[in-house]
Amino acid sequence: MKQKVLVIGLVWPEPTSSAAGWRMTQLLDFFRVQGYAVHFACAAQKTPASYNLTDDGIIEHDIMLNHSSFDEFIKILEPDVIMFDRFMIEEQYGWRVREVCPAALTILDTEDLHFVRKAREISYKKKIEIDFYTEEAKRELAAILRCDLTLIISTSEMELLINEFKIPATSLLHLPFMHAPLTTETVAKWVPYEERNHIMFIGNFWHEPNYQTVRYLKEYIWPSLKEKLPDAELHIYGSYVSQKVMELHQPKNRFFIRGKAENAIATMSQYRLLLAPIVFGAGLKGKFVDAVYAGLPSVTSTIGAEGLFKENWPGFITDEVEELVERSSSLFQEEVLWKEKQHLSVSFLYQNFDKDTFYDQFENKLSIITEDVMKWRKQHFIGQILLQQQFLASRYLSKWIEEKNK
């Protein structure tokens, strides 16, 4: 009989809307390839952009938040592995999982470290020093310690957890986006320099760093860059465009809000430059992977390139406004430079996201833990202490909410 993995989602995956949705479908595919029976459960409502997981042989389940029906559901399902989609889901369902399925291996996928992103957002908006020692950090770090394994998408976040917060390295696994290498056929089909035009940015507008980056582009970068490139336009793409985003639309200044790109890679293939000087954030930015597949060079910030190999970046990395404008102008106008940066895409993808390498590492880690889960938990006993405290607090709060809602 196949082993079962249950993934409890914060939302239904939307791979065409966000890197988080794309990341989740990759993880589900990993378990499917490894021979698991894969189940995905979520209490959120689906949207028109929600991916149809059943097309990939994944069994979907609608569940309820703060409701004992979930206990009966997992009791019947008896999953061998349970993965929580972000720390908030571990907080909400973790105690139920461990009460009903105490032997099941628990995995936390952080997507990115939320407390890092939030601390940087506060620092950026208030113009103060970054403080990672927050209440949100306590919650997220506690969830990490309670789980048998936590997936970390960025090497920078790995270093922060291990060196700053002393999280045991053995309980973490660096697992970035996972992609097959660029083929010669894909490279041969790249739209040539002379058939491309204009500059673009792309990002889901539910994600605050994307909105703030667009504001930064409009206020600080584009006024100077558009003078250097009098025929170029800046096109902004992204899902969930709100009124405050549309207020940035200024055709007279060649600054256009375009809305969602139904096919990100196909859309990016028509442009000459991805301009994405991310002002704050965490984790990895999926837009740069799409750009690589589209053969689209990019200019970004240190935060934008965080957690990735920078030596072969297919473009430029800078935090200085004047340099960013100069680099963007040169890359846009100089065909030889543009082609040189474009062809770094092949090594960039292999160095950072090689699918076979990370599949093997994930599979090996799971094998080590599942060989003797109880022994593993003894080696990470702090998590067991936190489980006792979280179990009591979350259990009674959830039951109180359930009774209140009757």
Side-chain angles (χ1 to χ4, degrees), residues 2 62 74 96 111 125 132 203 234 286 289 301 305 325 358 360 377 380:
K2 282 187 176 182
D62 291 305
I74 57 171
R96 293 183 182 275
E111 297 291 348
K125 290 181 176 179
F132 291 137
L234 180 52
V289 181
S301 59
V325 170
F358 291 109
D360 288 345
R377 289 173 181 170
H380 302 84

Side-chain angles (χ1 to χ4, degrees), residues 187 190 193 272 295-298 311-316 327 330-332 334-348:
V187 172
W190 278 343
Y193 172 87
R272 199 173 285 179
L296 177 65
S298 60
E311 292 79 8
N312 289 325
W313 189 269
F316 294 106
R327 295 290 197 184
S330 299
L331 193 52
F332 186 88
E334 298 174 24
E335 184 175 358
V336 172
L337 175 64
W338 187 88
K339 287 182 176 178
E340 173 191 319
K341 294 297 183 180
Q342 183 194 52
H343 282 283
L344 291 174
S345 298
V346 177
S347 57
F348 176 82

Side-chain angles (χ1 to χ4, degrees), residues 14-15 18-26 177 179 286-287 289-290:
E14 295 185 14
S18 70
W22 178 24
R23 155 80 162 184
M24 178 53 71
T25 55
Q26 289 186 343
F177 301 127
H179 292 276
K287 55 180 67 64
V289 181
D290 282 339

Side-chain angles (χ1 to χ4, degrees), residues 105-378:
L105 185 150
T106 57
I107 301 173
L108 173 62
D109 179 42
T110 56
E111 297 291 348
D112 59 27
L113 289 178
H114 290 60
F115 77 88
V116 170
R117 173 158 40 90
K118 190 64 179 178
R120 286 174 172 170
E121 178 179 347
I122 292 169
S123 171
Y124 177 79
K125 290 181 176 179
K126 295 186 176 181
K127 310 301 180 189
I128 60 175
E129 289 293 316
I130 296 175
D131 178 16
F132 291 137
Y133 290 82
T134 60
E135 289 302 311
E136 190 160 58
K138 294 175 186 177
R139 290 173 56 197
E140 191 160 14
L141 293 172
I144 288 171
L145 288 167
R146 286 192 294 263
C147 289
D148 297 314
L149 178 65
T150 298
L151 308 180
I152 303 297
I153 203 167
S154 162
T155 53
S156 297
E157 293 183 355
M158 286 284 288
E159 291 167 5
L160 180 70
L161 291 174
I162 294 166
N163 298 330
E164 185 72 19
F165 290 101
K166 311 305 179 187
I167 302 295
T170 51
S171 68
L172 308 174
L173 178 66
H174 172 229
L175 198 73
F177 301 127
M178 298 175 284
H179 292 276
L182 278 167
T183 64
T184 53
E185 290 81 6
T186 298
V187 172
K189 291 178 182 177
W190 278 343
V191 178
Y193 172 87
E194 63 273 10
E195 293 180 21
R196 297 175 183 242
N197 201 5
H198 304 313
I199 302 169
M200 60 100 68
F201 172 84
I202 190 168
N204 175 1
F205 288 108
W206 268 355
H207 197 51
E208 183 67 10
N210 287 323
Y211 169 68
Q212 293 297 336
T213 298
V214 173
R215 284 191 57 191
Y216 179 73
L217 284 169
K218 185 173 184 293
E219 295 173 14
Y220 297 100
I221 307 301
W222 189 240
S224 297
L225 185 56
K226 72 186 177 84
E227 297 303 317
K228 291 182 174 293
L229 304 173
D231 296 322
E233 299 172 357
L234 180 52
H235 297 178
I236 309 297
Y237 290 89
S239 303
Y240 302 105
V241 174
S242 63
Q243 181 58 38
K244 71 177 183 178
V245 175
M246 283 307 305
E247 287 170 2
L248 301 175
H249 181 66
Q250 257 186 8
K252 67 179 182 180
N253 288 320
R254 294 177 274 136
F255 193 96
F256 297 87
I257 305 298
R258 293 295 197 198
K260 183 178 180 179
E262 294 300 331
N263 185 319
I265 295 173
T267 300
M268 296 172 100
S269 296
Q270 305 307 309
Y271 288 86
R272 199 173 285 179
L273 177 65
L274 169 64
L275 185 54
I278 310 299
V279 292
F280 65 84
L284 301 180
K285 289 69 183 177
K287 55 180 67 64
F288 299 116
V289 181
D290 282 339
V292 163
Y293 276 101
L296 177 65
S298 60
V299 176
T300 189
S301 59
T302 303
I303 289 289
E306 186 177 62
L308 299 170
F309 283 98
K310 301 175 179 63
E311 292 79 8
N312 289 325
W313 189 269
F316 294 106
I317 303 166
T318 178
D319 294 319
E320 301 299 325
V321 171
E322 288 185 8
E323 185 180 1
L324 195 149
V325 170
E326 288 299 326
R327 295 290 197 184
S328 299
S329 175
S330 299
L331 193 52
F332 186 88
Q333 297 181 95
E334 298 174 24
E335 184 175 358
V336 172
L337 175 64
W338 187 88
K339 287 182 176 178
E340 173 191 319
K341 294 297 183 180
Q342 183 194 52
H343 282 283
L344 291 174
S345 298
V346 177
S347 57
F348 176 82
L349 192 69
Y350 178 77
Q351 283 181 313
N352 290 289
F353 309 114
D354 183 55
K355 184 176 181 178
D356 291 341
T357 298
F358 291 109
Y359 263 40
D360 288 345
Q361 291 178 7
F362 195 7
E363 182 183 7
N364 290 340
K365 191 74 171 183
L366 290 177
S367 297
I368 292 169
I369 299 172
T370 54
E371 187 175 335
D372 192 337
V373 173
M374 296 309 167
K375 180 181 178 182
W376 181 264
R377 289 173 181 170
K378 286 179 181 178

